Amino acid sequence: MEFSIETVRLTKAFGAIRAVAELDLRVQPGEIYGLLGPNGSGKTTLMRLLVGLAKADSGEARVLGRRMPDRGLLADVGYMTQAEALYADLTAHENVLFFAALSGVKTASWIGEALELVGLQARANDLVGSLSGGLRRRVSLACALVHRPRLLILDEPTVGVDPQLRVAFWEHFRRLADGGVTLVISSHVMDEAGRCDRLGFMREGRLIAEGSPEQLRQRSGTMDLEQAFLKFAEADHAA
Amino acid sequence: MQPNRVFAIARRLISQIRRDHRSVGLIILVPMVVMGLLGYILRLENQGLAIGIAAEDQGILLPTGARISAADRLMELLGGRDELQVNAVTAEEGERLLRQGELDAMVVLPEGFTQAVAQGDKPRLELVLEGSNPGQKQAVMFALTGALAQGLSAGPTAAERPSVEFETRYIYGGEEYDFLDSFAPVYIAFFAFFFVFLLTGVSFLRERSQGTMERLLATPVGRGEIVLGYMLGFGLFALVQSAVVLLFTIYVLRIHHTGSLALVFLVEALLTVGAVNLGIFLSTYARTELQVVQFIPIVIVPQVLLSGVILPVDSLPRVLRVVASLMPLTYANRAMTDVMIRGLGLADVAAELAVLLGFALAALLLSALSIRRQFV
Ligand SMILES: Nc1ncnc2c1ncn2[C@@H]1O[C@H](COP(=O)(O)OP(=O)(O)O)[C@@H](O)[C@H]1O
Ligand SMILES: [Mg+2]
């Protein structure tokens, strides 16, 4: 069985800070994998390593069977950055169109469909600069999935998105996973993490616990994931 | 109104500026450098004007046995002026040197000139000008009339001074060419360079500050493609801009031009490629849009002063000519003037085009490398 993502002792330091420290991660095809951890725990750096935006100091990251960084592979990968990276002076539609073109989308209807998926058809021709934060997150998501990648790496996709739309996002993530797409989603909000197939708790660049939400709750003997994370973090700190 | 709040804000701004060493340096140094250069240049306007004197006149033999010649006297008087460089030439030689750009003007003293002066006639004097720079005509005429008034004042009274009639001829251009004609080609090149440089610098900076550069690099797009995309986008923009400026200057300002417009656009295209890449390269050294703007005094102003936009490069002193030879705009200006005013063809501006191509490729290399640098 080949993993969608497989990292071996992946390490990336910024000066004295090891943002990602000898991390071993394995994600299976069609899985929704949640990366949970407080700010600064290394989630974004890990994702940047996975898409080849950062170069590992040591260890390696294999994505869809190929060692990163590998630019040719990126047509099969969708990446949504934590801060929305959009052109404020273009419309929502133009932004999606632009990223679609860069990823080699040939079917014009995919652009409209991506906008529809995030519920933006009505605002498609509004300038991104005039949209609210939540709407911009949606444009950002549409840009990440417009080319229908096999692997989606989403950095805190639901921040600033209202609860109703958040539910719709997760339903869509599930549909994609059922269709064989692999998703890695980071969050520091624990309540939505329960929707992932598997979770990895991150602390100081390492995975301190891994498993399905149910397993993690059981192993920590707590009722919710927030409590579970704190338990694991305490144990890690003590160790 | 709370003074402490006002002071707090002022204090914060001052500490921000102080932390930005480059801004402080620029604010203090650049005005001095620019003012210095400008003062230096304006004072030495027209230095190194090369004049050839072709004497077809043998002079006259005085009863004392000495030979006097108006040509010798003119050489002596003009040669004494610092801003002029006077050479004795034959008429054919002078003509050739004018075409090659070695001479700016030639004075031809026809047969019997000294005789005519001595007899108090009104002798004719032929003035041949290179013609692409109207400023030269004024300078040459000024020097010449001064020298003539001084040198030929044989008689004791003003009434006895002979007046000389000038017959002016131009190698390139002509009487109808004015300052605007000679400056238009140069300004067209300058505007393209300036705006493309600024636009690219600012857009590329935005690309990084708004995070879209990171996002771009997470797609299959290559660095080379990004650079090319910028070159194409802004290159087209620059060509449209140049076309508009060109049409405006030709049809509204009614400047004179003789050369091929295709060649004009070729020069612009090469210059633009250089400007786009220089913009990309330098934008990696800027963190804010203001810092991009700060590159104008460094990159643009010296080129304006030295590349022929204000004064012909030939009239600059040696050191500044060397500096000018390192600037792409110098070559673009020369090529543009050659094409638009002198009506020269591809073969004649090939050297300038080659240098511009060299600049463009060097800038391309720098910009491609600078995008790689952002990869951590
Ligand atoms: N480009 C960078 N330069 C320096 N330090 C960085 C950089 N990116 C991340 N870090 C540091 O690495 C650590 C992990 O950050 P990050 O991956 O953004 O965590 P998270 O996404 O979980 O909040 C933090 O301490 C952060 O300050
Ligand atoms: Mg993060």
Side-chain angles (χ1 to χ4, degrees):
Chain A
M1 152 102 245
E2 186 163 286
F3 294 103
S4 287
I5 293 173
E6 185 175 14
T7 73
V8 184
R9 301 177 70 80
L10 192 65
T11 304
K12 174 75 184 175
F14 296 104
I17 300 167
R18 292 216 293 176
V20 172
E22 301 188 359
L23 189 131
D24 295 318
L25 172 73
R26 287 172 170 183
V27 182
Q28 290 179 354
E31 190 176 34
I32 302 183
Y33 188 99
L35 277 176
L36 263 85
N39 277 325
S41 58
K43 305 180 298 291
T44 298
T45 305
L46 174 59
M47 291 183 149
R48 293 182 71 237
L49 286 163
L50 292 177
V51 291
L53 280 169
K55 245 197 170 117
D57 296 328
S58 64
E60 68 169 50
R62 298 185 78 80
V63 172
L64 300 174
R66 294 213 260 171
R67 191 176 172 164
M68 294 311 279
D70 182 339
R71 186 151 54 81
L73 186 73
L74 293 173
D76 282 329
V77 179
Y79 176 47
M80 176 174 169
T81 50
Q82 185 172 351
E84 62 281 328
L86 299 166
Y87 299 95
D89 42 3
L90 297 184
T91 66
H93 182 266
E94 286 165 341
N95 270 280
V96 179
L97 187 69
F98 175 69
F99 286 106
L102 291 187
S103 303
V105 172
K106 304 236 157 42
T107 322
S109 63
W110 285 14
I111 289 119
E113 283 163 39
L115 283 163
E116 200 172 324
L117 259 172
V118 298
L120 263 179
Q121 321 87 296
R123 310 294 297 273
N125 294 320
D126 289 11
L127 290 180
V128 163
S130 71
L131 298 178
S132 69
L135 291 175
R136 287 205 292 266
R137 299 297 295 156
R138 298 199 225 174
V139 181
S140 214
L141 181 61
C143 291
L145 47 73
V146 64
H147 58 297
R148 305 193 175 178
R150 282 158 61 205
L151 170 65
L152 266 174
I153 296 180
L154 310 175
D155 202 352
E156 312 210 4
T158 56
V159 172
V161 172
D162 59 70
Q164 209 176 343
L165 188 74
R166 193 179 292 192
V167 171
F169 270 22
W170 279 98
E171 279 168 5
H172 183 63
F173 295 159
R174 179 53 65 196
R175 264 200 306 280
L176 288 171
D178 289 345
V181 175
T182 310
L183 293 98
V184 177
I185 301 171
S186 73
S187 177
H188 62 253
V189 194
M190 303 291 169
D191 63 345
E192 61 181 20
R195 297 171 177 271
C196 297
D197 295 319
R198 242 159 25 102
L199 290 174
F201 285 165
M202 273 191 90
R203 182 169 181 271
E204 293 172 357
R206 291 166 298 119
L207 282 174
I208 54 168
E210 223 183 359
S212 71
E214 189 50 36
Q215 284 171 336
L216 289 169
R217 273 190 288 259
Q218 270 177 9
R219 277 190 2 226
S220 63
T222 55
M223 291 306 290
D224 65 60
L225 289 165
E226 183 124 22
Q227 293 296 320
F229 182 87
L230 290 174
K231 266 270 169 65
F232 283 112
E234 254 166 53
D236 182 65
H237 187 68
Chain B
M1 173 89 99
Q2 280 233 7
N4 345 6
R5 279 189 232 151
V6 176
F7 291 140
I9 292 169
R11 204 159 42 227
R12 196 206 78 213
L13 288 174
I14 290 166
S15 27
Q16 280 175 322
I17 292 175
R18 272 196 8 195
R19 218 159 276 145
D20 191 350
H21 294 264
R22 197 169 57 185
S23 296
V24 175
L26 270 172
I27 289 165
I28 294 166
L29 280 179
V30 167
M32 295 197 292
V33 173
V34 171
M35 291 307 288
L37 265 179
L38 202 60
Y40 190 36
I41 283 173
L42 289 181
R43 272 188 215 128
L44 46 266
E45 193 167 7
N46 290 320
Q47 185 143 61
L49 213 52
I51 298 183
I53 295 185
E56 288 169 350
D57 167 46
Q58 304 302 316
I60 49 172
L61 216 50
L62 292 181
T64 59
R67 177 178 289 279
I68 61 156
S69 127
D72 290 343
R73 187 92 182 97
L74 205 58
M75 289 273 295
E76 209 175 289
L77 285 165
L78 289 177
R81 299 178 81 111
D82 288 341
E83 75 273 25
L84 302 178
Q85 191 196 319
V86 188
N87 315 295
V89 291
T90 65
E92 294 101 74
E93 203 182 1
E95 194 92 7
R96 185 172 52 78
L97 291 173
L98 276 168
R99 274 183 202 285
Q100 285 171 353
E102 309 272 326
L103 281 184
D104 299 304
M106 171 168 68
V107 183
V108 183
L109 298 145
E111 179 99 57
F113 183 83
T114 313
Q115 186 70 46
V117 173
Q119 286 169 3
D121 286 349
K122 204 173 183 188
R124 290 175 82 79
L125 196 143
E126 193 188 7
L127 180 62
V128 190
L129 288 159
E130 193 268 350
S132 62
N133 174 16
Q136 282 170 351
K137 184 185 173 184
Q138 257 99 24
V140 172
M141 289 293 269
F142 182 71
L144 214 51
T145 44
L148 288 170
Q150 191 186 341
L152 304 178
S153 56
T157 64
E160 281 177 68
R161 281 178 205 163
S163 58
V164 175
E165 223 171 82
F166 286 102
E167 191 181 306
T168 313
R169 190 157 63 76
Y170 295 87
I171 300 283
Y172 301 111
E175 196 78 74
E176 76 273 24
Y177 276 64
D178 63 8
F179 267 107
L180 190 60
D181 292 321
S182 67
F183 281 116
V186 165
Y187 273 102
I188 291 166
F190 163 70
F191 281 134
F193 189 90
F194 178 69
F195 285 112
V196 168
F197 170 76
L198 203 58
L199 268 177
T200 317
V202 170
S203 342
F204 222 78
L205 177 91
R206 279 210 190 128
E207 199 91 82
R208 285 186 303 133
S209 62
Q210 72 198 355
T212 46
M213 178 48 75
E214 168 120 336
R215 187 62 186 75
L216 282 183
L217 293 176
T219 71
V221 78
R223 283 154 251 281
E225 293 166 324
I226 298 175
V227 172
L228 277 176
Y230 264 79
M231 267 157 54
L232 190 68
F234 286 128
L236 282 178
F237 169 83
L239 288 189
V240 170
Q241 185 228 30
S242 307
V244 172
V245 175
L246 203 58
L247 290 176
F248 176 77
T249 47
I250 291 173
Y251 294 106
V252 180
L253 301 181
R254 301 202 163 276
I255 65 147
H256 301 88
H257 78 101
T258 49
S260 137
L261 288 186
L263 261 180
V264 168
F265 281 112
L266 184 60
V267 175
E268 297 268 321
L270 286 174
L271 192 64
T272 306
V273 170
V276 167
N277 287 297
L278 199 63
I280 293 176
F281 172 64
L282 289 178
S283 78
T284 50
Y285 295 97
R287 270 172 290 111
T288 61
E289 290 178 25
L290 182 63
Q291 289 193 334
V292 174
V293 174
Q294 287 172 358
F295 281 117
I296 293 174
I298 298 176
V299 176
I300 304 293
V301 174
Q303 295 207 71
V304 170
L305 293 180
L306 300 178
S307 73
V309 175
I310 292 179
L311 285 171
V313 178
D314 289 342
S315 64
L316 298 173
R318 209 185 152 74
V319 183
L320 291 183
R321 273 211 303 270
V322 172
V323 179
S325 72
L326 301 174
M327 299 174 166
L329 215 50
T330 303
Y331 299 90
N333 288 343
R334 206 184 290 162
M336 291 290 266
T337 308
D338 279 350
V339 172
M340 289 185 68
I341 295 187
R342 306 206 173 104
L344 302 182
L346 183 60
D348 301 295
V349 292
E352 279 80 14
L353 290 178
V355 176
L356 284 175
L357 185 67
F359 274 116
L361 292 178
L364 183 65
L365 193 72
L366 285 178
S367 79
L369 287 177
S370 68
I371 300 183
R372 188 181 294 269
R373 244 170 34 101
Q374 304 170 359
F375 197 70
V376 280

